[in-house]
Amino acid sequence: MMTSEADVQAKVYRLSMAHPGDLSALAELLATGELAAQEIVAVIGKTEGNGGVNDFTRGYFTDRLMHLLSGYLNETPEALARKLPCILSGGTEGVLSPHYTVLCRSAAKAGTSESNPALAIGAACSVDMPFDLVGTRDHAVMVAQTVRAAMADAGLTDPGDLHFVQVKVPCLTSGRIADLRAAGRAVPAPNAAVSMARARAAGALGVALATGEITEAQLDDAAFLADFDLYSTCASISSGVEVLCNEVIVLGMSAAWSGPLRIAHRAMEDAIDLPSVQGVFQDLGFGPGAQVCAAERARLKAIFVKCEPDQSGQIHGARHTMLNDTDIDPQRHIRGAVGGLVAGVAGETRIFVSGGAEHQGPYGGGLIAVIAEAGDPQTEGAVA
């Protein structure tokens, strides 16, 4: 995609929503000309659904988004949905606030002469996923191919420049499982819940394959949800019934991009890994205080987190009850807990916190990535 140094720059808009179909903030940006629809590469958001198989808030938002953009892009909503990733995670437990982040790229301003790497954005969608391959090795290979396409879209050639890879993968439903059985085809998961987990595993290991964190020889169906020594340090995977293909968004740093935006990420060793959370903000030049001060919060443009209840049932040697609670799903517990931890450091509640971190970061942990405007060059860490 890149043709010369610093010929493009990223723009990021984090917008609040009053309900799962509220696109009024984006509509105003488009109507006033602050943002051109042609600049939008992808959308990542948090809706106030349950995050489960039957979380239809995600599909509702996507449908509303595609209808809004179709009026500007002269394409049908159905056509746009097949090429513009809209990756949503349901569940805004605790202090988390419903919002969506619009990722854009535009021509660099005239006279740009920056040499520092800046935020780079790329996206790609695969062909529709055959349901008998969802959550399998073949699924992971397809994700890896789509990640490479998204990297090419961003002009990124070195996987080491990646900081966050967001993927949305399809899953099976009871109806899809019944159709597979009726057709005599393989059924890769016994139910929808297991299918969502296996699909996330396939997505994560597909990212790891594309980045070189694992080899094709290590990619085996038997490793899914079993060998947690295999993982990606920059993958965030969501699964849902509202998508039929694999949608991929890559965020990295590149000298071929200009502008003030930077991204950094760190792995989280567990759900209360405060040093890693504080560290990623410090990497971006925020002060060492317990919470980002009010004067600096305007620099924050997006915060993305992946987390998982530790399957051992313990955190730092003490028992947790998330896995045994039949009233509240474990993923809702962990989103609320980790969301509160990160919000306390950021001083901000519009945070994308997604559960289901199988093979995404260390076992029982996850990852955090932050986009911010460049800070003081004397204090900003190396994030290239």
Side-chain angles (χ1 to χ4, degrees):
M1 182 189 116
M2 303 301 136
T3 57
S4 63
E5 287 292 302
D7 64 353
V8 66
Q9 68 178 22
K11 297 195 294 187
V12 175
Y13 297 87
R14 183 174 48 184
L15 306 174
S16 299
M17 62 174 84
H19 56 77
D22 178 22
L23 285 152
S24 58
L26 177 58
E28 182 175 357
L29 290 174
L30 293 169
T32 60
E34 165 69 19
L35 171 62
Q38 293 81 0
E39 295 178 325
I40 298 175
V41 178
V43 173
I44 301 176
K46 284 295 295 184
T47 63
E48 55 204 273
N50 60 25
V53 178
N54 67 332
D55 184 351
F56 301 112
T57 64
R58 300 172 304 206
Y60 177 44
F61 179 93
T62 301
D63 182 68
R64 295 268 295 178
L65 175 67
M66 299 308 164
H67 274 84
L68 173 63
L69 295 180
S70 67
Y72 288 91
L73 299 174
N74 296 318
E75 294 193 62
T76 66
E78 293 75 18
L80 286 175
R82 293 305 181 100
K83 64 181 184 181
L84 197 158
C86 177
I87 300 180
L88 304 167
S89 171
T92 50
E93 294 79 10
V95 299
L96 295 177
S97 180
H99 71 286
Y100 55 105
T101 300
V102 184
L103 302 167
C104 311
R105 61 184 172 215
S106 63
K109 294 180 180 179
T112 297
S113 60
E114 298 178 36
S115 60
N116 293 328
L119 175 67
I121 302 171
C125 295
S126 73
V127 299
D128 285 358
M129 191 76 217
F131 290 137
D132 56 347
L133 298 183
V134 170
T136 67
R137 183 185 188 280
D138 289 338
H139 189 174
V141 170
M142 184 180 288
V143 169
Q145 294 169 344
T146 312
V147 171
R148 295 184 187 110
M151 290 179 62
D153 183 56
L156 295 170
T157 57
D158 184 354
D161 292 332
L162 290 175
H163 285 274
F164 190 70
V165 181
Q166 179 65 55
V167 183
K168 187 74 179 214
V169 293
C171 66
L172 299 179
T173 63
S174 56
R176 292 169 182 174
I177 290 172
D179 289 344
L180 288 174
R181 287 176 174 156
R185 295 164 65 187
V187 180
N191 56 55
V194 174
S195 171
M196 289 186 82
R198 288 194 62 86
R200 289 192 298 265
L205 294 178
V207 174
L209 179 62
T211 58
E213 293 171 286
I214 67 170
T215 65
E216 282 208 47
Q218 293 174 295
L219 191 60
D220 185 271
D221 285 353
F224 290 16
L225 308 180
D227 185 355
F228 289 102
D229 288 333
L230 303 179
Y231 61 84
S232 169
T233 58
C234 62
S236 171
I237 318 297
S238 293
S239 179
V241 299
E242 72 275 16
V243 294
L244 297 175
C245 65
N246 302 294
E247 300 181 347
V248 176
I249 303 165
V250 300
L251 303 177
M253 294 287 287
S254 172
W257 289 63
S258 66
L261 298 181
R262 308 288 185 263
I263 184 171
H265 81 288
R266 290 199 182 199
M268 292 181 65
E269 295 296 327
D270 52 53
I272 56 174
D273 186 0
L274 181 61
S276 290
V277 174
Q278 292 176 319
V280 77
F281 287 96
Q282 291 168 14
D283 291 342
L284 290 165
F286 291 94
Q291 185 176 92
V292 173
C293 67
E296 288 193 293
R297 278 176 213 150
R299 288 178 49 211
L300 288 172
K301 298 304 176 183
I303 304 170
F304 305 110
V305 180
K306 254 294 173 178
C307 53
E308 176 77 7
D310 195 315
Q311 300 298 302
S312 71
Q314 293 191 331
I315 299 176
H316 288 202
R319 186 170 68 96
H320 72 76
T321 62
M322 289 184 281
L323 302 174
N324 299 321
D325 189 341
T326 56
D327 295 314
I328 303 174
D329 186 273
Q331 301 302 334
R332 308 202 76 170
H333 272 291
I334 197 67
R335 287 194 297 260
V338 177
L341 178 77
V342 177
V345 175
E348 166 68 62
T349 61
R350 289 175 299 174
I351 303 169
F352 179 92
V353 180
S354 176
E358 304 91 346
H359 304 284
Q360 301 153 66
Y363 182 69
L367 66 121
I368 177 171
V370 177
I371 298 174
E373 291 182 349
D376 184 342
Q378 294 183 336
T379 60
E380 188 172 351
V383 297

